[in-house]
Amino acid sequence: MTANLPEEDRGSALLVRDAMESAVAELPSLHDLVPAAVTQGRRRKARARLTTAAGIACVAGAVVFGSLTLPVGGDARTTVRPATSGTPSPHESVQEREPYRTPVHVKPTSDDERATANLPPAERKRRAQFQQHAAVLLDKLLPDSVGLIRPVDLDVSRYQGETKDGKVFTIIFSVRPSGDSSGWTRCPDPGALAVKGGSCKQATLPGGIKATSLRVFTDSPETMSTSVRFRYGHSDVELTVYPDVNAKASAPVTNDELLAAAGDSRFLDLVRYADEHPMQKRQTTIAGG
């Protein structure tokens, strides 16, 4: 092609061609270029992936940290905690998980109440936390007609339900080391019970637990209480709702309702804890047994 060019142009073209041939000669062969290009490409992809993963980890870490430390309700000491499943242990801080129930204060009158008042602070706190759990749970399990249930501060087995119209029902939730309680889960003589106008019902709770529920006149000829009793582990368990005598109002809960409450897995979780970590003295006599 350079033969048809003028001599000056033909010389310039030859110089350009020589320069191009020299530059190409200095490059590695095509076979040598391919592995290097592939390797370089892989390294760039790896760097890009590491950068992306690091960014995602930072964002995820920020989200988790934020969920653990986000303040609630203007109280810098209160934090939102990750949700957990299952029933909380009775010795956890109840205020972080459930609504706090202001205890009903009683002036110590019995030996048990005076002994409770003199307990070490850690043990009083443990019992108070147990009562908070129990009060909130009983409020869920018992009929609304029992009212808002609160613990009584110097008696770990005693609670109080108060309705909006002012009725007050004493509630006993007792888990006491077993004593002389051979008749704890037996129904009274049917004839005597019928004369007294009461009723007795027996049922089997989860785990094969035999339970007895009594509905009898208590405190006056006009008012009735409802109770359920059973044995669990090494303990005698009682859940009783007493009447409001002043208002002449019987316990607003039936045998079936109280048996259903006692058979709830959450209630039995509290019973198990109290059986394994006793908070009451051994019972030697059973009232009404």
Side-chain angles (χ1 to χ4, degrees):
M1 293 181 62
T2 58
N4 298 327
L5 295 175
E7 186 175 350
E8 293 181 359
D9 295 337
R10 189 165 57 251
S12 298
L14 290 173
L15 289 175
V16 171
R17 186 181 65 186
D18 291 341
M20 291 177 64
E21 290 177 351
S22 177
V24 170
E26 294 176 359
L27 291 174
S29 66
L30 182 61
H31 177 75
D32 295 331
L33 283 173
V34 172
V38 171
T39 301
Q40 186 176 16
R42 287 176 178 170
R43 288 175 179 171
R44 288 178 178 175
K45 284 184 178 180
R47 285 197 297 269
R49 287 172 181 169
L50 287 173
T51 302
T52 302
I56 292 173
C58 290
V59 172
V63 170
V64 172
F65 179 77
S67 68
L68 292 174
T69 60
L70 180 66
V72 177
D75 186 350
R77 295 171 298 175
T78 307
T79 59
V80 174
R81 302 180 184 276
T84 57
S85 60
T87 303
S89 170
H91 54 267
E92 290 180 12
S93 179
V94 184
Q95 290 84 346
E96 296 178 357
R97 305 179 62 94
E98 299 167 341
Y100 182 75
R101 303 296 172 91
T102 302
V104 178
H105 177 67
V106 297
K107 184 178 180 180
T109 56
S110 69
D111 290 340
D112 285 346
E113 289 168 354
R114 281 188 283 270
T116 300
N118 294 325
L119 285 172
E123 177 61 15
R124 286 195 63 180
K125 180 180 179 181
R126 181 177 78 95
R127 296 188 183 195
Q129 289 176 343
F130 176 85
Q131 283 190 286
Q132 285 292 322
H133 277 279
V136 172
L137 181 59
L138 290 173
D139 211 30
K140 296 175 182 177
L141 298 179
L142 298 181
D144 292 342
S145 52
V146 178
L148 179 68
I149 297 176
R150 296 190 292 158
V152 174
D153 63 356
L154 292 181
D155 189 340
V156 71
S157 67
R158 187 177 172 187
Y159 302 80
Q160 180 176 291
E162 184 172 355
T163 65
K164 293 181 179 179
D165 60 358
K167 294 185 181 70
V168 176
F169 301 102
T170 296
I171 301 166
I172 298 297
F173 170 32
S174 171
V175 184
R176 188 186 296 272
S178 297
D180 182 14
S181 55
S182 58
W184 186 243
T185 59
R186 286 205 309 259
C187 279
D189 178 73
L193 191 62
V195 170
K196 295 179 180 179
S199 62
C200 181
K201 186 168 185 176
Q202 294 182 308
T204 301
L205 306 182
I209 300 169
K210 303 296 183 182
T212 298
S213 179
L214 285 169
R215 174 89 171 166
V216 295
F217 282 98
T218 306
D219 296 334
S220 85
E222 300 175 322
T223 57
M224 303 187 80
S225 66
T226 309
S227 65
V228 62
R229 298 172 177 177
F230 58 91
R231 285 233 180 121
Y232 187 102
H234 303 288
S235 302
D236 295 329
V237 183
E238 174 189 359
L239 176 60
T240 300
V241 181
Y242 285 95
D244 181 342
V245 179
N246 294 330
K248 296 182 179 180
S250 294
V253 57
T254 67
N255 296 110
D256 288 334
E257 288 171 331
L258 212 58
L259 284 168
D264 189 279
S265 61
R266 296 166 294 179
F267 181 81
L268 293 176
D269 281 344
L270 288 179
V271 171
R272 181 175 65 250
Y273 174 84
D275 176 64
E276 295 173 353
H277 307 83
M279 290 171 278
Q280 296 178 251
K281 294 180 180 179
R282 183 181 302 274
Q283 180 82 353
T284 55
T285 59
I286 305 297

